[in-house]
Amino acid sequence: MDTNGLKNIEQKVQDHIAELNRNQLLSESERDELFDHFLTTISTLTKNDLSAKEAFEVAKIRFGSVQDFRKEYKKVRPLKAFYHHVMFALLIYFGVYFLCGLAMVLGMLALFLTTKFNLGLELRQTYLMLTIMLLPLLLLSFYGFKKMVERKKSISIQAIWILGLIVFTGVLGRRIYAVYQFKSIGGSMNATDFFFQLMLGDYNMIFSIFSLVLLIYVWVKIRRDRYLALA
Amino acid sequence: MYVWILKRNMKVISKDLIAASTIPIVLSILKEGDDYGYNIIKKVTERSNGNLKWNEGSLYPVLLKLGQKGCIRSYTIKERGRNRKYYTIQKPGYALLEKLKGEWLSLNKILGELWTPTVSKI
């Protein structure tokens, strides 16, 4: 097999392993083990007059169904599977929250642009026009995100980091602004107490902190697994 | 065509029986010496003359389960630029193998007796 063909096949194998590991139940050493397994199978099959592509297809069939493999790992690692479900639920929660926030910000942006540059049209018409103009931008972002997910199949962990941090920063900013408003109207309560009361009363903030703690826990666990695998 | 033939020949022994026998087979192979996933599968196919063909992916969760129970231990060796994970059997693994061997042998004996034609006494 030439270098290009080998690189191509290795990439295909990595993609298939990412598919097997969609629920992120495999450690790094286990992924390495599967990589070795597939490449050994492929190299044996290519010696029997199969092309690299055919050998890869045969290796996949011999390995068995992706769903069965995931199901078996879920049975062996129930806690990790549960963690994955929690993370997925949080991802959906933050995703919806983020999209609502994004729509609100875009609406505000459109309103700001409308008042600033009304293009000589009626206020309502300008607002509508600018909102429609923002739509391709939204679609483009969606397309970019979709491409990113396709390229990197195990995106959920990274996405939750980003979304969690955005929500965290957003809520924090909103709360600081509320305290600023509270102070400006001369509220009788201590500003710090007011701030914490607001923070603890916000589910988004609690979920953000919860997801960050979970992520740190998993990060430490992955590091520990890697260390143990090397030891 | 090749793929179709492969799919067709994969189910020689029933799935349930294969699943039940996986642990004693893996432990028996590891008893002979340290080995890695691909080679364990290869040995199983060779020893059974191709009658026992596993879905190769089903071996790895079993190895993980045995590792969690402390029956086997793994170590990694770099071979041809790749990390190859070898498994070695441990004391609890030997004990489990002995227990399973006893169970399979007694089951085999019962079935053998049931299936041996007896001469009817007149």
Side-chain angles (χ1 to χ4, degrees):
Chain A
M1 219 186 302
D2 60 285
T3 323
N4 265 352
L6 185 71
K7 280 239 155 70
N8 196 15
I9 265 318
E10 282 182 358
Q11 188 53 52
K12 278 188 174 179
V13 170
Q14 290 288 15
D15 288 348
H16 189 60
I17 293 170
E19 186 66 25
L20 291 166
N21 191 31
R22 187 168 267 195
N23 44 13
Q24 290 164 9
L25 294 181
L26 302 175
S27 67
E28 197 182 344
S29 74
E30 284 156 2
R31 292 198 298 272
D32 282 351
E33 184 179 30
L34 294 184
F35 185 69
D36 177 54
H37 174 97
F38 276 107
L39 288 192
T40 313
T41 311
I42 290 166
S43 96
T44 312
L45 289 167
T46 46
K47 279 176 197 157
N48 295 335
D49 290 339
L50 284 186
S51 71
K53 204 179 158 194
E54 283 170 331
F56 174 64
E57 290 304 319
V58 172
K60 273 203 303 189
I61 292 166
R62 276 193 186 178
F63 196 81
S65 99
V66 175
Q67 282 77 16
D68 286 349
F69 181 81
R70 287 193 205 138
K71 216 190 286 171
E72 287 305 312
Y73 262 90
K74 266 188 192 173
K75 280 187 212 160
V76 187
R77 286 201 168 122
L79 261 175
K80 217 171 174 184
F82 174 72
Y83 160 80
H84 179 75
H85 290 313
V86 172
M87 290 314 269
F88 191 67
L90 279 170
L91 184 69
I92 291 174
Y93 176 81
F94 285 138
V96 171
Y97 188 86
F98 177 73
L99 282 177
C100 291
L102 191 70
M104 200 177 80
V105 169
L106 287 176
M108 277 162 67
L109 186 70
L111 190 69
F112 169 76
L113 292 173
T114 307
T115 46
K116 202 85 179 156
F117 324 95
N118 63 15
L119 306 173
L121 297 167
E122 222 183 285
L123 196 70
R124 231 176 340 165
Q125 280 176 319
T126 321
Y127 179 73
L128 195 69
M129 215 173 127
L130 286 167
T131 313
I132 290 168
M133 276 162 72
L134 283 170
L135 268 177
L137 194 74
L138 261 179
L139 287 174
L140 201 71
S141 327
F142 177 71
Y143 179 75
F145 182 72
K146 201 169 155 258
K147 278 276 152 199
M148 205 163 76
V149 172
E150 273 169 15
R151 194 177 298 172
K152 203 169 183 177
K153 281 171 179 147
S154 54
I155 195 128
S156 56
I157 292 290
Q158 289 91 326
I160 198 145
W161 265 112
I162 297 161
L163 286 174
L165 278 173
I166 290 171
V167 171
F168 183 81
T169 320
V171 175
L172 194 70
R174 218 172 59 201
R175 291 302 173 230
I176 290 169
Y177 182 66
V179 172
Y180 169 75
Q181 274 186 325
F182 173 76
K183 275 181 104 176
S184 67
I185 56 163
S188 58
M189 201 178 172
N190 179 315
T192 322
D193 291 348
F194 181 68
F195 176 73
F196 281 113
Q197 203 174 324
L198 280 176
M199 296 277 268
L200 292 172
D202 198 316
Y203 290 116
N204 299 310
M205 184 57 92
I206 290 167
F207 281 141
S208 297
I209 293 167
F210 178 61
S211 73
L212 287 177
V213 169
L214 262 178
L215 282 163
I216 290 165
Y217 163 75
V218 170
W219 185 78
V220 170
K221 213 170 169 309
I222 289 168
R223 290 268 145 194
R224 204 189 62 136
D225 281 357
R226 200 172 291 172
Y227 173 76
L228 288 176
L230 289 172
Chain B
M1 184 68 179
Y2 185 86
V3 167
W4 180 76
I5 292 167
L6 190 79
K7 270 184 173 174
R8 204 164 166 258
N9 289 336
M10 272 178 111
K11 287 170 187 169
V12 180
I13 293 178
S14 82
K15 220 176 159 184
D16 291 340
L17 207 56
I18 289 176
S21 62
T22 310
I23 290 180
I25 289 173
V26 169
L27 289 174
S28 303
I29 287 173
L30 290 178
K31 198 183 168 189
E32 293 170 0
D34 297 2
D35 225 327
Y36 57 97
Y38 177 85
N39 220 33
I40 294 172
I41 295 161
K42 201 176 149 199
K43 279 184 180 170
V44 170
T45 316
E46 281 169 5
R47 296 279 182 90
S48 66
N49 294 322
N51 289 322
L52 192 62
K53 281 190 174 174
W54 287 346
N55 266 343
E56 295 176 1
S58 64
L59 172 72
Y60 294 98
V62 172
L63 288 170
L64 180 66
K65 205 195 298 179
L66 287 170
Q68 285 173 344
K69 284 181 181 170
C71 296
I72 56 171
R73 197 169 56 85
S74 69
Y75 58 92
T76 308
I77 290 179
K78 209 158 186 115
E79 280 179 28
R80 287 184 292 172
R82 297 201 296 261
N83 288 330
R84 181 158 283 173
K85 203 173 181 180
Y86 279 86
Y87 294 91
T88 179
I89 191 165
Q90 300 293 292
K91 253 187 181 176
Y94 284 112
L96 179 66
L97 180 61
E98 281 311 306
K99 185 180 164 261
L100 292 172
K101 210 177 234 140
E103 284 173 12
W104 276 93
L105 286 174
S106 61
L107 196 68
N108 186 38
K109 197 179 159 210
I110 294 166
L111 288 173
E113 279 167 12
L114 284 170
W115 292 333
T116 308
T118 49
V119 183
S120 59
K121 290 171 186 171
I122 307 165

